Amino acid sequence: MRFPRLLFSICFISVFLACSVEPEPINFGNDHCIYCKMTISDPKYGAELVTDKGRVYKFDAVECMLPYLKENPETKFSYIMAVAYDEPNKLKNVEELHFVQNENFKSPMGKNLASFANQPKEFESLNWTQLKDNFY
């Protein structure tokens, strides 16, 4: 009688965890960009989308995530995140970031686009809405 309860509990917890909607850390050097298929290797760049259903899409740069968003307008995302150049390896909500396009930042796809957690004083930056409206 005890075994069925334990089995039920394990199944319930497994189903609950499988349905969680959370961002995942990017495994640099192993994960691949869903858009360009390149290996995500530079910890200063990277981006991630998490759908309302919990599916995670990883990108090697914001410049790959932007066209993916435009090509999939019907998909609802719970998280839209990017790695900040000034805080490598950490995903942050894009609404909190400042975006700079400048030749000093050699992003993986050559668009020279970087995101920053702290607004860079030496470069003009865009917020997420401005970037979405103007970049592509």
Side-chain angles (χ1 to χ4, degrees):
M1 195 66 171
R2 199 170 191 190
F3 181 73
R5 283 188 190 172
L6 179 63
L7 182 61
F8 175 77
S9 297
I10 290 172
C11 290
F12 180 77
I13 291 170
S14 297
V15 168
F16 179 74
L17 290 176
C19 296
S20 68
V21 178
E22 295 292 328
E24 293 177 0
I26 295 174
N27 189 358
F28 291 95
N30 290 313
D31 287 339
H32 291 84
C33 177
I34 191 74
Y35 193 73
C36 72
K37 312 298 182 206
M38 290 177 55
T39 300
I40 305 171
S41 58
D42 192 335
K44 293 179 185 171
Y45 300 95
E48 184 171 296
L49 297 171
V50 182
T51 68
D52 288 352
K53 295 179 180 179
R55 186 154 187 192
V56 176
Y57 298 101
K58 297 177 182 180
F59 302 88
D60 62 346
V62 172
E63 60 222 49
C64 282
M65 183 171 68
L66 285 167
Y68 185 88
L69 283 168
K70 290 200 178 205
E71 293 169 12
N72 297 283
E74 71 287 345
T75 305
K76 303 293 180 207
F77 296 101
S78 294
Y79 294 95
I80 302 175
M81 307 183 81
V83 173
Y85 188 87
D86 53 343
E87 293 184 18
N89 293 307
K90 293 182 184 175
L91 286 166
K92 295 193 168 279
N93 184 326
V94 293
E95 300 289 341
E96 301 170 5
L97 296 172
H98 308 274
F99 298 90
V100 172
Q101 187 172 25
N102 186 286
E103 63 186 24
N104 289 334
F105 308 107
K106 305 294 182 198
S107 57
M109 298 308 294
K111 298 288 186 186
N112 301 329
L113 180 64
S115 55
F116 291 84
N118 302 301
Q119 186 164 7
K121 294 177 181 153
E122 61 272 32
F123 301 103
E124 184 178 333
S125 64
L126 301 172
N127 65 31
W128 175 244
T129 301
Q130 293 169 321
L131 182 71
K132 281 193 316 183
D133 292 344
N134 298 318
F135 195 72
Y136 281 100

